[in-house]
């Protein structure tokens, strides 16, 4: 029988976790991934109530079914992570595992072999926890702070699954009814505690991933206030034959390395300083839009000579040491420069050309600008 205090905590946290995922993740950014994660948390919540009911009724079969469903919920978390990165989901694996466990475990709950079967299911769930950990690693260092809670919980789940095997080996996998119940007491405690820790850690990580959204290295081309203003300015400039317009793509050099080297707070200070440097150097009539925390696009009405002076000042300003930055940090930027007299007045073409130029500047060592000199197309 599960400790009553643990049961109350499990029910309370699973309910809160589900409400948070529905309200702050799924409704905020509906997607297939957030839908799968919400289903996993709902399944875990229903299971926690069933677990308490099973203890109150003394139903071994219901308790086994709830334990099986709880293990299945962890597999759906792995499925959601795969869906988020656009990989094949393998949803059928989670469904088959969950249904198989919820059928087999209750049917064998009072048999001599239940101890072995339960541990086997726990170990298989540990394998999926390892796969979840692998998916979190694939997300990369950019969001390592967001993925850390679930990564640690998944590692703990793997350890618990190993402990279940070790416990069985030490006990010699007893098969008697009463003996099996004693043998599984540690595993039941581990299962209930793991459900609390894993559920809370999963809620934190998946909520952050849901609100962050899938990352993309490309400049967004959706309708924004910047796009509306920029397209209007370019239309009027083209009609007037004004050639003194250009688009700048300004990128902080090696942001991933900076994230790896420093804490989230330190990187945030670096990114804030970078944004302030850009806005302080550029003139008031420049239209500016941030692209994440390490990129900025600018539509600028200036002749070539004036643009060169501005870019030189900007690179010097970004590279200037600041006492607010972490010790021994050298920050630089790469700038792509696309002019309308070379690329044309189409905003999408200017964005693409400037982005390619900034990437070339970065490949050339960074701390420089690269100007588009040949027409696009």
């Amino acid at each position: 029988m599960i400790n009553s205090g643990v049961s109350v905590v499990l029910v309370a946290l699973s309910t809160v976790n589900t409400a948070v995922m529905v309200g702050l993740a799924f409704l905020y950014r509906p997607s297939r991934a957030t839908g799968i994660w919400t289903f996993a948390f709902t399944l875990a919540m229903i299971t926690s109530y069933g677990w308490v009911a099973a203890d109150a009724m003394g139903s071994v079969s219901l308790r086994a079914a709830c334990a099986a469903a709880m293990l299945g919920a962890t597999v759906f978390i792995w499925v959601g992570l795969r869906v988020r990165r656009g990989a094949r989901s393998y949803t059928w694996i989670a469904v088959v595992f969950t249904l198989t466990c919820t059928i087999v475990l209750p049917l064998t709950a009072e048999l001599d072999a239940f101890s072995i079967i339960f541990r086997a299911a726990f170990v298989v769930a540990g394998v999926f926890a390892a796969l979840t950990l692998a998916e979190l690693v694939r997300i990369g260092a950019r969001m390592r702070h967001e993925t850390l809670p679930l990564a640690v919980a998944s590692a703990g789940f793997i350890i618990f699954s190993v402990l279940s095997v070790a416990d069985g080996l030490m006990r010699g996998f007893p098969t008697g009814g009463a003996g099996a119940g004693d043998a599984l007491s540690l595993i039941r405690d581990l299962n209930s505690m793991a459900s609390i820790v894993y559920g809370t850690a999963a809620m934190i990580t998946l909520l952050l991933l849901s609100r962050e959204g899938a990352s993309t290295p490309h400049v967004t081309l959706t309708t924004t206030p910047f796009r509306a203003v920029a397209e209007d300015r370019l239309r009027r400039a083209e009609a007037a034959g004004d050639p003194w317009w250009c688009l700048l793509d300004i990128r902080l050099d090696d942001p991933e390395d900076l994230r790896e080297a420093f804490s989230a707070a330190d990187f945030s200070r670096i990114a804030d300083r970078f944004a302030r440097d850009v806005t302080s150097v550029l003139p008031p009539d420049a239209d500016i839009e941030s692209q994440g925390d390490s990129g900025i696009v600018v539509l600028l009405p200036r002749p070539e000579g004036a643009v060169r002076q501005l870019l030189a000042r900007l690179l010097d300003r970004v590279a200037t040491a600041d006492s607010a930055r972490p010790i021994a940090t050298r920050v630089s930027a790469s700038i792509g420069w696309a002019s309308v007299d070379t690329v044309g007045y189409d905003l999408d073409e200017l964005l693409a050309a400037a982005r390619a130029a900034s990437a070339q500047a970065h490949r050339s060592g960074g701390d420089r600008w690269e100007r588009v000199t040949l027409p696009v197309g």
Side-chain angles (χ1 to χ4, degrees):
M1 185 173 180
I2 303 173
N3 181 279
S4 59
V6 175
S7 298
V8 172
V9 173
L10 179 60
V11 168
L13 284 180
S14 63
T15 304
V16 171
N17 291 343
T18 303
V20 169
M21 286 301 298
V22 171
L24 300 182
F26 181 71
L27 295 181
Y28 174 79
R29 181 163 290 166
S31 67
R32 188 181 172 198
T34 55
I36 292 172
W37 290 332
T38 300
F39 172 77
F41 279 94
T42 303
L43 179 61
M45 179 186 68
I46 295 172
T47 298
S48 68
Y49 283 94
W51 219 335
V52 173
D55 280 339
M57 296 185 297
S59 173
V60 177
S61 297
L62 179 57
R63 184 187 301 136
C66 291
M70 189 73 75
L71 294 177
T74 63
V75 184
F76 282 100
I77 290 177
W78 166 70
V79 171
L81 288 171
R82 288 184 59 84
V83 169
R84 180 183 180 273
R85 70 176 175 89
R88 186 176 178 181
S89 64
Y90 294 116
T91 307
W92 66 270
I93 295 179
V95 173
V96 169
F97 175 77
T98 304
L99 290 178
T100 301
C101 288
T102 53
I103 293 173
V104 173
L105 289 183
L107 292 177
T108 60
E110 298 184 8
L111 299 181
D112 293 343
F114 181 72
S115 176
I116 297 176
I117 295 173
F118 184 82
R119 283 185 171 87
F122 202 68
V123 169
V124 173
V127 172
F128 284 109
L131 294 174
T132 297
L133 183 58
E135 289 295 327
L136 295 172
V137 172
R138 289 183 66 114
I139 293 176
R142 190 181 72 87
M143 301 189 70
R144 73 177 188 273
H145 298 287
E146 289 86 346
T147 58
L148 183 61
L150 183 53
V152 172
S154 297
F157 199 111
I158 298 168
I159 294 173
F160 284 172
S161 65
V162 173
L163 286 176
S164 71
V165 176
D167 178 67
L169 291 174
M170 288 187 296
R171 296 175 183 270
F173 288 106
T175 57
D182 294 338
L184 288 173
S185 59
L186 173 62
I187 305 304
R188 288 194 183 117
D189 290 340
L190 288 176
N191 197 12
S192 58
M193 292 301 298
S195 299
I196 294 173
V197 175
Y198 192 89
T200 303
M203 183 273 293
I204 295 171
T205 290
L206 300 181
L207 176 62
L208 293 175
L209 292 180
S210 300
R211 296 182 73 84
E212 176 71 15
S215 61
T216 174
H218 304 293
V219 175
T220 178
L221 300 181
T222 56
T223 301
T224 63
F226 171 83
R227 166 174 281 279
V229 172
E231 287 181 336
D232 178 66
R233 292 189 190 279
L234 290 172
R235 276 195 302 268
R236 290 188 285 120
E238 184 177 19
D242 184 355
W244 305 124
W245 286 84
C246 65
L247 192 130
L248 307 175
D249 187 284
I250 308 169
R251 300 282 157 176
L252 186 66
D253 284 331
D254 303 313
E256 298 301 329
D257 292 341
L258 293 172
R259 286 189 179 92
E260 288 276 7
F262 301 105
S263 67
D266 285 337
F267 179 79
S268 178
R269 283 193 287 270
I270 293 172
D272 289 344
R273 164 67 192 272
F274 167 68
R276 289 197 303 271
D277 288 340
V278 173
T279 55
S280 65
V281 171
L282 293 175
D285 55 347
D287 297 300
I288 303 173
E289 181 177 66
S290 295
Q291 300 287 332
D293 52 13
S294 60
I296 295 173
V297 292
V298 181
L299 183 65
L300 182 65
R302 287 291 185 279
E304 177 182 338
V307 175
R308 289 183 180 274
Q309 293 178 9
L310 284 172
L311 297 188
R313 286 174 52 201
L314 176 56
L315 291 175
D316 287 341
R317 182 66 175 267
V318 171
T320 301
D322 182 2
S323 59
R325 287 176 181 164
I327 299 174
T329 304
R330 187 185 185 283
V331 177
S332 62
S334 296
I335 304 174
W337 173 6
S339 301
V340 297
D341 60 345
T342 302
V343 179
Y345 292 86
D346 184 85
L347 179 60
D348 290 335
E349 293 182 358
L350 286 167
L351 285 166
R355 184 72 182 98
S358 68
Q360 179 59 46
H362 180 68
R363 287 192 295 270
S364 299
D367 194 20
R368 67 187 68 199
W369 73 77
E370 188 78 22
R371 187 181 183 189
V372 179
T373 57
L374 296 176
V376 175

